[in-house]
Amino acid sequence: MTALLRELAVIGAALLVIALAVDRLRDRGVLVPPPEMVVEQFVRDISLARWQAARGELAEPLAESMEPDSLRRYLERVERRFGRIQDVQGRPFFSTADAAEASAEIRSGGEDRGSLHYPLSRQQGLWKISRLDDGS
Amino acid sequence: MEYERLVLRTLFAWLVLHQLFRYAGKRTVTSAGGVGNRSGIDLMLALIVGDLIDDLLWAEVPGAQFVAAAGTLVLLHVALALLRSGSDVAWRALEGVPLRVIAHGAPVAQAMRAERLNRNALAALLRQDGIGPERWHEVRASYVENQGPLSVLREPWARPATRSDLPPHTEGSA
């Protein structure tokens, strides 16, 4: 029983460290995924039709309005412009305490490349995409 | 990639796992590390936790998710270890039962099939205990233990002599 309590104490201490880092030290990219990683993961998720996972990367008002069908239509718009997404890499653009912007560099067939820019905001300590860019 | 962030995440992950495994028990540490005898459960823990750390290092998941996942796994492992140590039924259910592959010098075919051992593999394992094929008759029983190695119990007459085997010394005896 002592071992279990010690393990719980370690878990609690680690979570406390994370909370302090995010809230007091204003960590924006060490123990939370940085904006460019959120953007990269979002584009990768929609390219793989992982709609629920992609919704998890959106800020709250946007996440509520973007049902899987809406995300599917968004993906279609992106692919009409850039072609079928084969690889994506996130790039930071700027970041302040509560706002950021990052781009997703998309590689479609061959040497075709394009980029999408997403603004992000902080929600519950995590970066979330607050507006979708379809490249138009 | 910002290397300072990568270094900080690595340090954090190492510290969390170090503390989690520190209280998980010495058997868990040695067996999951592959140094000591390893059970399937320990190996499974090592593999899963080893994969979890990758997501944190590359910032694919928040640190809190990593702690929750790794912590849950180790917590479950410790809870199962406590259950195993306190209950024979739980021990048998979680660890399995050692199989006797040699009985009074003769290989037990059914047990060998269950452990996917052939005669050559069995001979190799016994040689590690210094028992060649010409001395199998000295083996009263040999078991494939839950952690994998072969244990050997010798016939009473084949055990190495000890001091207690000597007749008691009496004063004045030749």
Side-chain angles (χ1 to χ4, degrees):
Chain A
M1 190 55 68
T2 308
L4 284 174
L5 290 174
R6 283 176 178 162
E7 295 293 351
L8 284 169
V10 170
I11 294 168
L15 291 174
L16 183 62
V17 165
I18 292 168
L20 289 173
V22 171
D23 187 51
R24 302 292 176 187
L25 301 178
R26 308 185 76 76
D27 171 33
R28 297 294 181 261
V30 176
L31 296 177
V32 295
E36 62 271 22
M37 183 52 69
V38 173
V39 158
E40 179 179 315
Q41 196 62 40
F42 171 75
V43 175
R44 186 169 289 126
D45 282 339
I46 60 170
S47 72
L48 295 172
R50 295 200 288 241
W51 312 122
Q52 290 304 328
R55 285 182 79 196
E57 280 122 18
L58 301 178
E60 202 41 54
L62 185 60
E64 281 179 14
S65 65
M66 295 300 286
E67 296 286 333
D69 281 342
S70 307
L71 286 172
R72 189 176 295 113
R73 285 193 293 273
Y74 172 73
L75 175 63
E76 287 170 359
R77 288 198 301 276
V78 169
E79 289 187 333
R80 265 200 300 274
R81 180 173 174 83
F82 297 110
R84 190 168 180 81
I85 299 171
Q86 292 191 350
D87 191 23
V88 59
Q89 189 166 10
R91 299 269 187 218
F93 187 64
F94 82 88
S95 171
T96 64
D98 296 301
E101 189 171 309
S103 62
E105 292 194 357
I106 295 169
R107 186 171 62 82
S108 48
E111 295 298 320
D112 294 341
R113 291 176 191 274
S115 67
L116 294 167
H117 296 269
Y118 297 95
L120 299 100
S121 59
R122 299 267 295 175
Q123 285 192 349
Q124 295 178 330
L126 299 175
W127 290 110
K128 301 284 186 182
I129 295 171
S130 51
R131 185 170 50 82
L132 295 182
D133 172 25
D134 57 11
S136 56
Chain B
M1 170 64 65
E2 294 170 323
Y3 292 102
E4 62 274 14
R5 287 180 174 178
L6 177 62
V7 168
L8 286 172
R9 282 188 216 112
T10 305
L11 289 173
F12 176 79
W14 182 87
L15 196 59
V16 168
L17 291 179
H18 178 272
Q19 289 298 297
L20 282 175
F21 279 103
R22 182 176 173 223
Y23 298 114
K26 295 180 179 60
R27 272 191 70 233
T28 299
V29 173
T30 54
S31 60
V35 175
N37 299 325
R38 178 187 289 168
S39 75
I41 297 174
D42 298 326
L43 176 61
M44 191 169 61
L45 177 68
L47 287 174
I48 297 175
V49 173
D51 189 60
L52 283 178
I53 193 172
D54 181 64
D55 293 337
L56 176 68
L57 293 191
W58 304 120
E60 292 175 7
V61 298
Q65 282 188 15
F66 168 77
V67 170
T72 299
L73 282 170
V74 176
L75 207 57
L76 178 63
H77 187 76
V78 171
L80 287 177
L82 288 171
L83 188 63
R84 285 201 307 268
S85 67
S87 162
D88 284 344
V89 173
W91 177 274
R92 282 195 296 274
L94 293 169
E95 294 279 350
V97 178
L99 286 180
R100 186 172 61 171
V101 290
I102 289 187
H104 298 292
V108 178
Q110 187 176 1
M112 286 175 61
R113 273 196 303 274
E115 286 295 334
R116 290 174 285 283
L117 275 179
N118 61 18
R119 202 174 174 90
N120 293 332
L122 185 59
L125 289 170
L126 287 169
R127 277 197 300 273
Q128 291 180 23
D129 269 308
I131 300 173
E134 70 285 357
R135 294 174 57 195
W136 282 19
H137 61 284
E138 296 180 9
V139 178
R140 178 165 65 83
S142 183
Y143 293 85
V144 175
E145 298 294 342
N146 293 334
Q147 283 75 25
L150 202 67
S151 61
V152 175
L153 301 173
R154 296 171 192 266
E155 298 283 3
W157 51 265
R159 291 188 195 128
T162 63
R163 185 185 289 274
S164 63
D165 295 323
L166 295 173
H169 175 75
T170 54
E171 197 64 40
S173 62

